[in-house]
Amino acid sequence: MNRAERFYRQECLQNERSLKNEKQSNRRAEKSGGNLRPSSALEKMGTLPERAAVGDGARGLQRTGDAWSDFSHDQARSRAYRWGEDGLAGISDDKQRLCFALALWNGRDPILKERLFGLTNAEGNHGEDVKEYYFYLDTTPTHSYMKYLYKYPQAAFPYADLVHTNRESNRGDFEYELLDTGVFDDDRYFDVFVEYAKASPDDILIQITVHNRGPEPAPLHLLPTLWFRNTWAWGESVPKPQLQQVKPGEGWGVSTIEAFHPDLGLRYLYCAGSPPLLFTENETNNQRLFGKHNTSSHVKDGFHEHVVNGQGDAVNPAKKGTKAAAHYQMEIGPGQEASVQLRLMNVAPADVRNHLFGIPFEEIVEIRRREADEFYRAITPASVQEDEARVMRQALAGMLWTKQYYHYDLSQWLDEHDAGPRHAMRRPIRNHEWFHMINDDVISMPDKWEYPWYAAWDLAFHAVALSAVDPDFAKEQLELLLREWYMHPNGQIPAYEWDFGDVNPPVHAWASLGVYQIHKRLRGEGRHRLPGAGLPQAARSTSPGG
């Protein structure tokens, strides 16, 4: 066994052991007629996209054909998503039921910063374009350690200026970027670093460190946010999960959010420093968006109204809901930094036996950093220079950060648009011949903001790159599009969300061979099959889409 194989297997061993124990427990429960153990889904933690509204718009709109304007950035803070969530430096379980991300307010912005901002196709002089600065700095294949950087201006974010100036520019002009607006002049911005480290598959440590790069003290509201994706408001009989505040042990100096989901069981978010906790519902603010009655007295944009507009009754005084946040307020001196620590785990306050924060917390984070260093040293060719190795590591980290849960049930979607076989194909609508298709997986995306949906051609190239750092995931991605709930009955591989029936260049077979060869070099000769080799013959035949 070579070094890369040894460290890769060591990195995955913890999750594999937990999954094995879970399966054994479930088999015993089935035989005895007992309840199944809730899946340890956080161990298969994925990242949230930086923008989900376009995905929801593209999947939700057919009347005008303009998905970008159907679900705008301005609506996103107030409108519950149907198919997938978004957030800054966010994570979720493998089915995106329980989500965690960061929200910020500098005291000047017109809105709470909960997601990245960018231009739509109609607004940008070169098409859609994110207008933010954020960096995927590090992660391991199993996300045992992750690091992210967001650069947040201390001045009011120039939303209107970016839209107006770019819209007035022609295609021959340079793009008008956030840096061009002057909001970073004199280094008046915050560097916001977010780190995740797993103490175990069900124990995720979160450290947020904010640096004031400017010449003067600057205020900041920091809101680490935990919420459930809204799966209960779409006409189906789905139990509603709940978040609520619970009391920790006496003198802990900790605020605690209890999260219950029927599929996940109980989880707890411990927030060091006893910050006040805010609660609202992940429900659409129909009154603001559509002039209609709200189904809940507390709605998705409650934290924005409370923090930015000072509306006290926008949050639930009963300290319960489906969206919650710890509200840290700080003023950071010039050149200084501030840090907060949180911990998401399945251990109830009464069962906590060790110190959650402080030195034990920092030691675990440091151990995971060192393990990540060792892992990347093991997979980096000896001929690569130090600077090149850093580029390789961050590039692979970016690939791993760009995985996300992708949910799209075509049969359900077509029914909701009066199309598909149940409606005798009465409406001419895209993808109507793909009604068999159910997307319900973690998939590598071309981009977390501009292209938060998969494309077969892109995915084939991703798999080749990913095989250098996570060959198992690379193989799974290639095989996924050959499964019967993705591939068309005629053998075509789905092209991309907007038109699954479009034709892509035939690179899937090339990518499969490349991944196989890389995998064989990493793990030894003659022990591994080609992706798709165990699938039905129809899935292995040459098809129009791949």
Side-chain angles (χ1 to χ4, degrees):
M1 183 185 299
N2 61 31
R3 293 179 72 231
E5 163 71 349
R6 178 164 57 87
F7 285 114
Y8 176 79
R9 291 185 65 182
Q10 186 177 20
E11 220 272 320
C12 297
L13 182 60
Q14 180 171 276
N15 284 354
E16 291 172 354
R17 183 182 299 115
S18 180
L19 284 171
K20 181 179 179 181
N21 291 339
E22 176 185 324
K23 291 175 182 176
Q24 291 173 344
S25 297
N26 284 349
R27 280 197 295 268
R28 287 194 295 269
E30 287 173 344
K31 290 179 180 179
S32 63
N35 294 323
L36 298 186
R37 172 180 175 266
S39 174
S40 181
L42 290 180
E43 71 189 6
K44 295 169 279 188
M45 175 185 67
T47 60
L48 284 178
E50 304 292 349
R51 177 184 68 165
V54 161
D56 258 48
R59 294 168 222 170
L61 176 75
Q62 279 303 312
R63 310 296 184 211
T64 67
D66 185 358
W68 284 265
S69 62
D70 178 68
F71 204 141
S72 67
H73 179 272
D74 183 61
Q75 288 186 351
R77 72 175 182 272
S78 304
R79 187 171 168 182
Y81 295 151
R82 171 69 184 276
W83 298 102
E85 292 288 346
D86 64 4
L88 293 176
I91 60 173
S92 75
D93 67 89
D94 62 340
K95 298 298 181 185
Q96 209 175 94
R97 292 157 293 199
L98 182 62
C99 308
F100 175 90
L102 186 62
L104 303 161
W105 190 54
N106 57 18
R108 296 183 174 89
D109 269 357
I111 63 175
L112 186 68
K113 174 64 71 173
E114 295 180 276
R115 58 189 49 80
L116 297 179
F117 173 74
L119 306 177
T120 68
N121 266 345
E123 294 169 339
N125 61 324
H126 296 152
E128 59 181 336
D129 185 21
V130 63
K131 297 298 182 183
E132 302 265 19
Y133 300 115
Y134 58 103
F135 304 88
Y136 304 122
L137 298 180
D138 207 2
T139 186
T140 59
T142 57
H143 306 295
S144 59
Y145 176 73
M146 306 169 69
K147 189 174 184 180
Y148 175 102
L149 168 63
Y150 175 66
K151 292 182 176 290
Y152 185 43
Q154 294 171 4
F157 198 91
Y159 295 105
D161 182 21
L162 286 166
V163 172
H164 174 77
T165 304
N166 279 283
R167 181 178 275 159
E168 296 300 312
S169 302
N170 61 50
R171 294 197 173 208
D173 294 331
F174 288 111
E175 295 173 5
Y176 185 63
E177 303 292 359
L178 182 59
L179 197 62
D180 300 324
T181 67
V183 293
F184 289 102
D185 289 355
D186 301 320
D187 293 331
R188 295 180 185 272
Y189 69 93
F190 298 107
D191 269 338
V192 183
F193 292 92
V194 181
E195 293 177 278
Y196 297 97
K198 286 184 180 180
S200 71
D202 286 306
D203 186 359
I204 302 171
L205 285 63
I206 306 163
Q207 182 162 277
I208 304 166
T209 306
V210 183
H211 298 260
N212 178 3
R213 303 303 189 190
E216 297 178 351
L220 182 67
H221 294 249
L222 189 68
L223 288 87
T225 305
L226 189 71
W227 75 99
F228 290 111
R229 177 168 61 90
N230 188 323
T231 58
W232 57 86
W234 314 105
E236 302 171 5
S237 180
V238 177
K240 189 175 181 179
Q242 180 171 279
L243 302 167
Q244 64 178 352
Q245 182 169 355
V246 295
K247 291 184 178 180
E250 192 69 29
W252 279 22
V254 171
S255 298
T256 306
I257 300 169
E258 179 187 83
F260 174 75
H261 190 283
D263 296 333
L264 299 175
L266 286 168
R267 295 290 188 277
Y268 300 88
L269 180 66
Y270 296 96
C271 312
S274 299
L277 300 180
L278 309 179
F279 289 82
T280 188
E281 298 290 344
N282 187 15
E283 301 272 8
T284 296
N285 187 340
N286 291 299
Q287 179 64 46
R288 172 181 179 258
L289 297 178
F290 311 116
K292 298 180 180 180
H293 177 70
N294 285 331
T295 59
S296 170
S297 56
H298 300 98
V299 288
K300 181 178 176 180
D301 56 15
F303 298 163
H304 161 81
E305 294 296 339
H306 178 79
V307 175
V308 177
N309 296 330
Q311 186 177 329
D313 60 356
V315 296
N316 190 349
K319 301 293 184 181
K320 60 177 61 178
T322 49
K323 181 179 179 182
H327 188 190
Y328 292 92
Q329 299 183 59
M330 56 189 70
E331 182 167 287
I332 306 174
Q336 301 298 306
E337 66 178 62
S339 181
V340 301
Q341 296 177 343
L342 306 99
R343 201 156 177 169
L344 180 60
M345 58 196 306
N346 63 349
V347 180
D351 298 322
V352 172
R353 295 290 178 262
N354 301 314
H355 294 290
L356 293 174
F357 300 108
I359 293 176
F361 182 102
E362 293 162 4
E363 287 177 345
I364 294 171
V365 174
E366 182 57 32
I367 288 171
R368 295 294 176 259
R369 286 194 198 110
R370 290 200 305 266
E371 289 173 347
D373 293 342
E374 194 171 6
F375 173 77
Y376 277 101
R377 278 196 300 269
I379 68 169
T380 302
S383 59
V384 172
Q385 300 298 314
E386 182 179 352
D387 189 54
E388 295 170 329
R390 286 197 291 265
V391 172
M392 172 183 167
R393 178 172 177 169
Q394 190 170 341
L396 291 172
M399 293 292 297
L400 293 168
W401 264 96
T402 311
K403 299 187 307 188
Q404 70 183 56
Y405 171 68
Y406 188 88
H407 184 211
Y408 194 13
D409 185 329
L410 263 292
S411 177
Q412 183 179 26
W413 185 85
L414 289 167
D415 279 346
E416 291 171 355
H417 291 81
D418 299 326
R422 298 181 187 178
H423 301 271
M425 305 288 191
R426 287 193 297 269
R427 292 189 60 214
I429 194 169
R430 65 186 176 89
N431 294 329
H432 67 275
E433 294 181 346
W434 292 76
F435 53 84
H436 72 286
M437 197 172 187
I438 299 176
N439 298 166
D440 186 32
D441 299 278
V442 174
I443 305 177
S444 177
M445 300 291 138
D447 183 83
K448 293 288 286 293
W449 192 90
E450 293 187 6
Y451 303 100
W453 37 262
Y454 69 90
W457 190 25
D458 301 66
L459 190 60
F461 290 111
H462 295 181
V464 175
L466 285 165
S467 63
V469 66
D470 194 348
D472 289 333
F473 180 71
K475 290 171 66 177
E476 290 168 4
Q477 295 292 283
L478 292 173
E479 291 185 342
L480 186 63
L481 297 193
L482 304 179
R483 302 304 308 186
E484 57 270 30
W485 52 88
Y486 278 78
M487 190 176 66
H488 196 277
N490 68 12
Q492 182 173 4
I493 294 173
Y496 47 85
E497 180 185 288
W498 195 258
D499 186 0
F500 287 125
D502 201 359
V503 178
N504 271 190
V507 296
H508 212 80
W510 167 84
S512 297
L513 182 60
V515 168
Y516 170 75
Q517 291 171 336
I518 293 171
H519 200 170
K520 188 167 65 172
R521 285 199 299 270
L522 280 174
R523 297 192 173 182
E525 299 286 340
R527 293 188 295 142
H528 304 282
R529 61 179 176 83
L530 281 166
L535 299 175
Q537 180 64 35
R540 303 199 300 271
S541 59
T542 303
S543 65

